[in-house]
Amino acid sequence: MIKLVLISGALYGLLAVVFGAFGAHALKKSFTEDQLKSFETGVKYQMYHAIVLLFMGYNFTFSTILENSISYAFIIGIFLFSFSIYGLCLSSSKGKKLKFLGPVTPLGGLFLVVGWSLLLYYFILLK
């Protein structure tokens, strides 16, 4: 589990930098201001949570269901939240908005909220 969390954190961090650069340079011409802001939100949330995953990978023992659940909530939440935003922005800029991705974004956000809630609970239990 430690390896999965560290690899996920590093991969999400790497992709956040790549997507951020892509958005700042290549997409500026084809995106509206709102699309660019949404895309940037996806990148920011992805990077924030990539850092959290790296922190957890170096500090958790992954010997409890709680630690594993927090990790899965963040890994799944990042993917659903950020990548659905990227898909919505890219498809919308091409005039073929993938509407099925609309409900995926708040579902990803819910996973992130669950991850943070479980992390708060974990810290409360530490004494």
Side-chain angles (χ1 to χ4, degrees):
M1 186 67 180
I2 292 172
K3 194 167 187 168
L4 172 66
V5 171
L6 290 173
I7 289 172
S8 295
L11 178 61
Y12 281 146
L14 167 72
L15 292 176
V17 172
V18 170
F19 294 160
F22 186 64
H25 301 290
L27 298 177
K28 252 188 179 173
K29 296 174 186 173
S30 62
F31 272 19
T32 66
E33 190 65 32
D34 284 343
Q35 290 167 337
L36 198 55
K37 284 182 183 177
S38 292
F39 194 88
E40 289 172 355
T41 297
V43 170
K44 286 180 197 173
Y45 274 59
Q46 182 176 332
M47 181 57 85
Y48 299 152
H49 290 91
I51 293 167
V52 171
L53 285 172
L54 294 173
F55 169 83
M56 291 182 338
Y58 281 104
N59 289 287
F60 282 9
T61 61
F62 299 98
S63 59
T64 67
I65 292 172
L66 181 58
E67 289 177 336
N68 293 333
S69 297
I70 295 166
S71 303
Y72 282 124
F74 283 132
I75 291 169
I76 294 166
I78 293 167
F79 183 78
L80 294 177
F81 183 82
S82 292
F83 285 80
S84 65
I85 289 176
Y86 304 148
L88 284 166
C89 291
L90 289 167
S91 64
S92 183
S93 74
K94 305 271 188 221
K96 299 178 182 179
K97 189 173 184 178
L98 300 174
K99 293 182 182 182
F100 72 91
L101 289 176
V104 174
T105 306
L107 181 61
L110 180 60
F111 271 94
L112 295 176
V113 168
V114 167
W116 283 108
S117 299
L118 292 174
L119 187 60
L120 175 60
Y121 179 67
Y122 177 82
F123 290 147
I124 291 169
L125 289 178
L126 284 179
K127 299 179 187 175

